[in-house]
Amino acid sequence: MKIICIGRNYTEHIAELQNDRPTEPVVFLKPDTSILLHKQPFFIPAFSNDVHHEVEVVVRINRIGKHIDRKFAHKYFDEIGLGIDFTARDVQQQCKEKGLPWEKAKSFDGASVVSRNFINKNELGDLNNLQFELFKNDTLQQSGDTSHMLWKIDEIIEHISQYFTLKIGDLIFTGTPAGVSRVEENDVLKGTLAGKEMFQIKVK
């Protein structure tokens, strides 16, 4: 199983980090060892002083596919979940300044929160108009709507399948909206999708 992530897919998030708007999806990978185990807290890694939360809609692939046309992409997933792409922003900035990959900043152990439960897409209605939120200590910190994606789910599947064979169980993190912020010890992060609580984790 692999985790495929899309960066810079929401305009306001691009602006808050002062990044350039991409002309095609920004793709990077995470290993399965980055997944935070269920009911475990997130431990801030010793090598970073500036870890940010990035809440994202997550798509779970249900069949093998390669070179998938956009009009058939909906056949390759049944369920939608929610996750966090934890990012060591200070490490990422150092990597970017040197023109190096971001893996150390985004793929460390525990850096990927994936909701234990996924929701059948037929229960969610229009997937291009999904609301999701992240609350930090019961205060709304990130509020997203998939209608604001630069590239929608079907377009993402079409794009990444030109480069990688998608396999059953692969996870696609579809990008984060604005509102990312530093996490601190004892923070409690709660994620909701279409009004349903999907996860709650404590930061250590």
Side-chain angles (χ1 to χ4, degrees), residues 24-49:
E24 64 177 41
V26 175
V27 179
F28 60 95
L29 301 179
K30 290 182 168 223
D32 58 4
T33 52
S34 71
I35 294 177
L36 184 67
L37 298 178
H38 181 58
K39 292 187 177 180
Q40 293 298 307
F42 171 74
F43 288 92
I44 298 172
F47 55 76
S48 176
N49 294 312

Side-chain angles (χ1 to χ4, degrees), residues 54-188:
E54 298 187 2
V55 68
E56 311 197 14
V57 170
V58 180
V59 176
R60 183 159 58 194
I61 297 298
N62 66 356
R63 60 194 295 188
I64 295 174
K66 175 77 171 172
H67 296 296
I68 301 165
D69 191 282
R70 187 179 313 176
K71 64 185 177 183
F72 300 121
H74 67 278
K75 297 182 177 182
Y76 288 81
F77 68 99
D78 291 325
E79 298 176 314
I80 302 291
L82 197 69
I84 296 177
D85 170 23
F86 278 116
T87 303
R89 195 70 69 198
D90 46 359
V91 176
Q92 185 188 35
Q93 186 59 37
Q94 293 167 11
C95 292
K96 287 167 65 176
E97 289 173 355
K98 297 176 182 178
L100 298 174
W102 304 342
E103 276 77 4
K104 290 194 297 184
K106 285 181 167 284
S107 300
F108 54 88
D109 291 354
S112 303
V113 173
V114 180
S115 58
R116 187 172 190 183
N117 296 321
F118 278 63
I119 302 173
N120 189 291
K121 66 182 181 181
N122 295 326
E123 299 176 19
L124 292 170
D126 184 3
L127 300 185
N128 293 326
N129 192 28
L130 281 179
Q131 286 77 48
F132 59 104
E133 298 86 22
L134 184 131
F135 296 84
K136 183 165 71 172
N137 305 324
D138 293 324
T139 298
L140 180 62
Q141 187 66 43
Q142 286 187 271
S143 179
D145 190 314
T146 55
S147 66
H148 298 154
M149 284 180 170
L150 297 180
W151 290 279
K152 305 299 191 287
I153 292 172
D154 289 351
E155 295 173 285
I156 291 170
I157 290 174
E158 178 183 57
H159 179 78
I160 63 179
S161 70
Q162 309 309 306
Y163 302 93
F164 311 113
T165 295
L166 294 177
K167 300 181 75 173
I168 296 170
D170 284 352
L171 300 175
I172 301 175
F173 277 59
T174 58
T176 195
V180 302
S181 69
R182 178 180 178 179
V183 297
E184 298 181 356
E185 187 176 352
N186 296 320
D187 280 346
V188 176

